[in-house]
Amino acid sequence: MAKRLTPKRINAIRPDDRTRTYGDGRGGNGLTLAVQPNGVRYWYQRLRFEGRDINVGLGGFPAVSLAAARRAAVENRAKALAGINPQGQQRPKQRPIRRADARRQRIADGTATLADCIDAVILEHVEDGDWKNAAKTEQQWRASLRHVEPLTRREVAGIDATEITAELRALAAKHPTTAAAVLSRLGEAGDYAVDESLRPDNPFRSRAVRRRLKAVRRGKGGHHAAMPYAEVADAIQRARAVEHMAPVKALAFELIVLTACRTREVYGARWSEIGGDVWTIPASRMKAKAEHRVPLSPQALDVLRRARELHPDSELVFPSPRTRTELANGTSDEIAVKAAIKPYTMHGFRTSFRTWAMERTDADHAIMELSLAHKVGGSVERAYARSDMLAKRRELMESWGAYLFRDVARR
């Protein structure tokens, strides 16, 4: 993957016998630096406009800095999305009406398609600067929405909950995370349709759609498929033994099981959050938006020790081997397939822990629920009982770790 340009990298480039080009990497909006044999350097941007590739000149370097060129690239991309030629050329009057003009006309006539609403929402995000990396985020949106391409061609006014569920059912069963992202993006398009008076309601945010897709994702009973707790120890050993999977992913899986935390909480774990044998997850990364302290069993501490040995200089406990950023959502599916965990889900291991605690220990109901970061009692009761019962939760988590590794010597 091409690296992003930096001032240091640009200054290190030396001209040779022919013109060389250096792209600004993935997500760089097509920004490119050209270096001629005579040493002249200039910026240009390659864009797709109305079905054809165009090159837009942005000026010479260093008169136009890297930062200025990037800002211009973002603006040009927004223009292209809006149907405006970034090259500033006047279109011949006999040319067909631009796509953006046609979209605006359909919206005005009340005949807009779902695709029209999606294009309008993407344009708003780009123009308002909502996305840190506009090109990459737009690409992710459009790639995910190809799963429902037949639906996007329909007039948005005529789409109902039954159609939405039918389009997303197969995707939700196979790739639930992608299906959730698609539904969220369609929800924004639906909001736009309501705002433009194209329809009175937003079917993509209806309870009926969410309920039906949740049942598909979790199975007939409406719950995440959970592995019987007696089989969890073997699953850990299978994950350890997978040959064609980065060790850091197997370690992340072990910590998910040992702490009964959610996958995103583990994938986003940072060393700055670990203090001795307590892991403090900030409210910003918790589902309930409240700080959560996790007691670390000896087995969990061993996982952290091995993770530190793998990536001693990383801020993240489990960095992606390729990007050094947080592990992607697809990691859970990869682990589940390679470690033969399917049809059970990663989230289901929280249920495995909860069932074990209920059947094999004398732990209080509140201790089990607090270990899962669930709220216990009503708002008044919680106001008076503010302890998170860390010591008692530690006893439970240490028992869980000992149970999982009762017959296995640690590596």
Side-chain angles (χ1 to χ4, degrees), residues 3-212:
K3 296 181 180 179
R4 300 299 301 273
L5 292 172
T6 64
K8 182 177 180 180
R9 184 182 171 206
I10 292 172
N11 290 331
I13 295 172
R14 297 291 178 265
D16 57 17
D17 58 349
R18 64 186 180 89
T19 299
R20 301 282 184 177
T21 58
Y22 303 86
D24 197 22
R26 186 175 180 179
N29 293 299
L31 179 63
T32 303
L33 177 69
V35 180
Q36 296 181 331
N38 61 4
V40 172
R41 307 177 184 208
Y42 60 90
W43 299 104
Y44 72 90
Q45 181 182 14
R46 191 162 184 80
L47 287 170
R48 189 79 175 168
F49 179 68
E50 294 192 344
R52 61 191 181 93
D53 292 324
I54 61 172
N55 290 333
V56 183
L58 301 177
F61 178 86
V64 177
S65 67
L66 173 59
R70 282 175 173 164
R71 287 195 296 270
V74 171
E75 293 173 0
N76 286 339
R77 187 170 185 82
K79 289 180 181 179
L81 285 170
I84 302 171
N85 190 342
Q87 293 175 318
Q89 298 172 351
Q90 295 294 323
R91 305 301 302 268
K93 292 183 179 180
Q94 66 271 23
R95 290 292 296 271
I97 188 168
R98 292 186 302 226
R99 179 183 172 187
D101 291 338
R103 182 182 71 234
R104 284 192 287 268
Q105 187 62 50
R106 287 193 295 271
I107 291 173
D109 294 342
T111 59
T113 64
L114 179 57
D116 290 331
C117 296
I118 291 169
D119 287 343
V121 169
I122 290 174
L123 178 58
E124 286 184 355
H125 279 302
V126 172
E127 289 182 335
D128 294 345
D130 297 333
W131 294 336
K132 184 175 180 180
N133 189 330
K136 179 179 179 181
T137 306
E138 181 195 346
Q139 183 183 37
Q140 290 172 340
W141 268 58
R142 296 196 183 280
S144 67
L145 291 168
R146 291 193 191 105
H147 291 288
V148 290
E149 189 170 355
L151 188 66
T152 63
R153 294 195 290 266
R154 296 263 289 109
E155 283 192 18
V156 69
I159 297 174
D160 59 27
T162 302
E163 285 182 279
I164 298 167
T165 306
E167 282 288 334
L168 284 171
R169 184 182 296 276
L171 183 63
K174 190 173 182 180
H175 300 291
T177 302
T178 302
V182 169
L183 187 61
S184 174
R185 289 159 185 171
L186 292 176
E188 289 197 45
D191 289 340
Y192 178 87
V194 173
D195 291 343
E196 294 295 322
S197 301
L198 295 171
R199 58 177 301 138
D201 61 345
N202 183 352
F204 304 104
R205 299 199 189 281
S206 71
R207 292 180 61 188
V209 170
R210 292 199 304 271
R211 187 169 61 250
R212 293 171 190 171

Side-chain angles (χ1 to χ4, degrees), residues 381-395:
E381 182 180 351
R382 291 197 300 270
Y384 286 96
R386 299 186 181 183
S387 171
D388 63 358
M389 303 290 186
L390 183 66
K392 291 187 176 181
R393 288 193 291 118
R394 180 180 301 284
E395 293 177 10

Side-chain angles (χ1 to χ4, degrees), residues 324-379:
R324 294 297 185 265
T325 57
E326 290 184 20
L327 291 172
N329 290 330
T331 301
S332 297
D333 288 336
E334 179 187 355
I335 297 170
V337 171
K338 291 184 176 179
I341 292 169
K342 291 284 189 180
Y344 306 117
T345 68
M346 204 66 72
H347 192 89
F349 285 103
R350 288 164 56 82
T351 302
S352 304
F353 161 75
R354 182 67 171 78
T355 306
W356 167 84
M358 183 172 59
E359 295 184 356
R360 301 291 294 268
T361 76
D362 296 324
D364 184 75
H365 169 81
I367 301 301
M368 292 187 283
E369 290 299 291
L370 286 170
S371 296
L372 295 170
H374 288 166
K375 292 182 179 179
V376 178
S379 57

